[in-house]
Amino acid sequence: MKKAFFIRMIITMVITMGFAQVVKANEPTACCVDGTAYFVWNIDGNGTLHVIPLENTTSNFDKSPFYKYRNQIKNVIIENDFYCEEGFRTLGNNLFKGLDKLESIQFAAPVRNIGESVFEGCTALREITIPSSVESIGRNALRGCSNLVSVSLPFLGFDGSIWVNQTDKNDLSWIFGTSNGKEFYTVSHTIGEKTMTSSLPVSLKSFSISSGILCNDTFDDCVSLDNVKLGRATKSVPTSLVAGHYSSMSLYTDK
C-alpha cells in the first residue's frame, strides 16, 4: 500500500508539474503498461535519458518506448532511487533498441538481468560496461552495435560441449548475434559438433571479461582487438593469446 501511494504521488506530481525538459519530448514521464507504472523518465537538455525505477523490473516491449525520441537521446542513465532501492531486477526486452544516437549508458542502480535485444541497433554506442550485479544477458543484447570500441562483461563462456548455465553465461554469438555489412566481421568457433558464429564490429579494440569459461579459439578471428583483459575468475585462458597469436595484442589478468 505504501509503495502504491508513493507511485501515485510521483505520477500525479509528474503530470501536474512536469520535468522541465520533458516538455521537449512532449510525453508524460511515467511509463505505464497495462495499468502498471514501471518507471519515470525524462530527457534533459544535454540529451541524457534518465530512467528512474518504480518497480523492480520493466515490461518487455515489442519496440523501445523511447524510439520516437531517438534523435534526442545521446546518453542513458539508469538512476538509483529510494522508491525502489533494489533498482531494476530486469531490463525488459527491446528497452533501448534502435536508439541510434545513443553514445553511452551508465548503470547508477543495480541491474540483475538484461533482456533480449536491449541495446540492439544502438549504432552510435562506443563503449559499454555491463556491471557485476548482472546475472544474465539476453540473446542479441548487443546485436548491430557497429561502433563499439570497448566492451566489458561480467562473464562469458562454455564448459566443454555444453552451455554454462545457458540463461546467464553465453558465447559471443548469444550476445552479439549476426549482422551484415562492412562494419562487422565474422567470428566463429566450434563446440563439439556445433559451430557458433557471431558478428563483432571492426571498431572493437578492447574486450574485458571478469569470469567464465572460454574456448581456446574464442578470439581467433578477432583481428581488430588490441587488448583483452581476463579477470582472475576466468578459466581456460585461450592458448592462442598466451602464445602471442596477435602481434598487436596484450593480455592482462588481475591474478
Side-chain angles (χ1 to χ4, degrees):
M1 292 295 293
K2 184 177 180 180
K3 183 176 181 181
F5 169 77
F6 279 126
I7 291 174
R8 288 196 298 271
M9 182 180 70
I10 292 174
I11 295 174
T12 301
M13 290 175 64
V14 165
I15 293 176
T16 57
M17 298 177 64
F19 289 14
Q21 298 300 329
V22 173
V23 177
K24 188 176 180 181
N26 195 29
E27 280 284 321
T29 60
C31 179
C32 298
V33 179
D34 296 329
T36 299
Y38 288 95
F39 53 82
V40 171
W41 63 272
N42 79 304
I43 303 172
D44 68 23
N46 295 317
T48 298
L49 170 65
H50 301 267
V51 181
I52 305 171
L54 296 176
E55 295 287 334
N56 60 20
T57 187
T58 72
S59 177
N60 292 323
F61 299 93
D62 294 327
K63 184 178 182 180
S64 171
F66 310 112
Y67 187 76
K68 66 176 68 176
Y69 311 114
R70 63 190 182 280
N71 290 330
Q72 297 179 37
I73 299 172
K74 296 181 180 179
N75 311 288
V76 167
I77 300 178
I78 306 296
E79 299 282 6
N80 204 350
D81 190 81
F82 67 90
Y83 288 106
C84 189
E85 294 180 358
E86 60 186 303
F88 285 122
R89 180 179 295 122
T90 300
L91 297 182
N93 297 347
N94 304 310
L95 184 60
F96 303 115
K97 181 179 180 179
L99 302 187
D100 54 10
K101 301 298 188 295
L102 178 61
E103 299 174 359
S104 70
I105 178 161
Q106 178 182 344
F107 294 87
V111 173
R112 293 187 186 179
N113 308 297
I114 293 177
E116 295 184 2
S117 300
V118 167
F119 304 108
E120 181 177 341
C122 293
T123 54
L125 191 63
R126 292 184 57 80
E127 61 180 69
I128 186 167
T129 297
I130 304 296
S132 59
S133 62
V134 169
E135 299 172 355
S136 68
I137 301 174
R139 188 189 297 270
N140 295 327
L142 296 176
R143 183 175 184 266
C145 295
S146 55
N147 281 294
L148 279 171
V149 174
S150 176
V151 173
S152 180
L153 302 176
F155 49 74
L156 186 72
F158 282 97
D159 183 4
S161 60
I162 60 174
W163 294 102
V164 177
N165 192 348
Q166 185 172 357
T167 60
D168 66 10
K169 292 192 176 182
N170 297 284
D171 176 68
L172 295 175
S173 62
W174 177 270
I175 297 172
F176 285 90
T178 56
S179 302
N180 297 320
K182 62 182 181 180
E183 301 90 354
F184 302 93
Y185 61 90
T186 300
V187 175
S188 63
H189 55 266
T190 302
I191 305 297
E193 298 180 354
K194 189 173 185 179
T195 298
M196 312 302 297
T197 302
S198 60
S199 299
L200 294 184
V202 298
S203 57
L204 189 62
K205 300 295 183 183
S206 177
F207 211 114
S208 175
I209 305 166
S210 298
S211 66
I213 302 174
L214 308 181
C215 302
N216 282 342
D217 57 354
T218 296
F219 300 108
D220 272 2
D221 300 313
C222 300
V223 295
S224 68
L225 281 175
D226 291 325
N227 177 37
V228 172
K229 181 177 181 180
L230 304 178
R232 64 170 59 90
T234 306
K235 301 178 181 178
S236 184
V237 176
T239 55
S240 58
L241 295 181
V242 176
H245 184 78
Y246 303 98
S247 59
S248 62
M249 180 177 287
S250 55
L251 174 66
Y252 298 93
T253 62
D254 55 359
K255 294 181 180 179

